[in-house]
Amino acid sequence: MREIEVKTSKEFEIVDITHSIEEIVKESGVKEGIAVIFTKHTTTSLIINENEPRLLRDIERLFKGLVPKEERYAHNSIDRNAHSHLRAILMNPSLTVPIEDGKLFLGTWQSILFIELDGPRIRKVLVKICEC
Ligand code: ZN
């Protein structure tokens, strides 16, 4: 199991972690298998999509629209970040990506995107590479 650190600088931020994951795959020496990428937090998510700046703005707008920050959430009486948790449950805490020829088998426009929903913070993402 490997761990990568993601430092975020905004409340909502999308960070492309494809390169870090690709490095871990390369170091593992695994030629055929799967990479499991897992975020250990309740206010972060992982998605696979296109890293295009305007699309990233649209994704942010989507989640801010679906779960507005200014609502009367019960959890806010203890933590003030209910919107972050609720946005997180609409996505996933983990991804599975096939490995072929020692590389992530991603489509041309696919990137592995970490989504910070309650930053800025220092986050941990776990990566498990399995040969199969
Ligand atoms: Zn909370």
Side-chain angles (χ1 to χ4, degrees):
M1 182 99 74
R2 291 279 307 270
E3 192 173 83
I4 61 169
E5 199 174 86
V6 182
K7 282 186 190 142
T8 60
S9 57
K10 290 189 285 180
E11 189 195 20
F12 191 112
E13 188 174 344
I14 301 176
V15 183
D16 190 330
I17 58 170
T18 313
H19 185 72
S20 305
I21 309 297
E22 197 74 80
E23 284 294 304
I24 291 171
V25 171
K26 206 196 285 178
E27 285 166 22
S28 76
V30 170
K31 297 293 170 209
E32 278 199 36
I34 53 169
V36 177
I37 304 122
F38 177 71
T39 171
K40 288 172 80 178
H41 310 282
T42 55
T43 54
T44 65
S45 297
L46 292 162
I47 62 169
I48 293 178
N49 219 290
E50 185 178 352
N51 183 4
E52 192 283 307
R54 283 154 293 202
L55 177 63
L56 300 189
R57 287 208 301 273
D58 290 335
I59 293 169
E60 180 169 351
R61 201 162 149 235
L62 169 71
F63 285 100
K64 287 184 170 174
L66 286 173
V67 186
K69 190 174 178 176
E70 296 79 19
E71 282 280 336
R72 295 181 131 218
Y73 300 111
H75 180 66
N76 281 353
S77 63
I78 58 154
D79 206 10
R80 294 176 181 225
N81 65 353
H83 63 287
S84 308
H85 292 280
L86 296 173
R87 289 170 187 172
I89 64 169
L90 299 175
M91 296 176 271
N92 289 304
S94 72
L95 298 170
T96 307
V97 181
I99 298 167
E100 279 294 322
D101 296 324
K103 290 183 198 154
L104 291 170
F105 196 63
L106 291 167
T108 309
W109 304 108
Q110 286 185 316
S111 291
I112 299 171
L113 305 173
F114 172 88
I115 307 193
E116 172 64 79
L117 299 162
D118 193 28
R121 294 196 200 209
I122 296 171
R123 302 295 203 166
K124 302 246 189 277
V125 176
L126 300 176
V127 184
K128 183 104 179 163
I129 309 293
C130 305
E131 198 158 20
C132 57

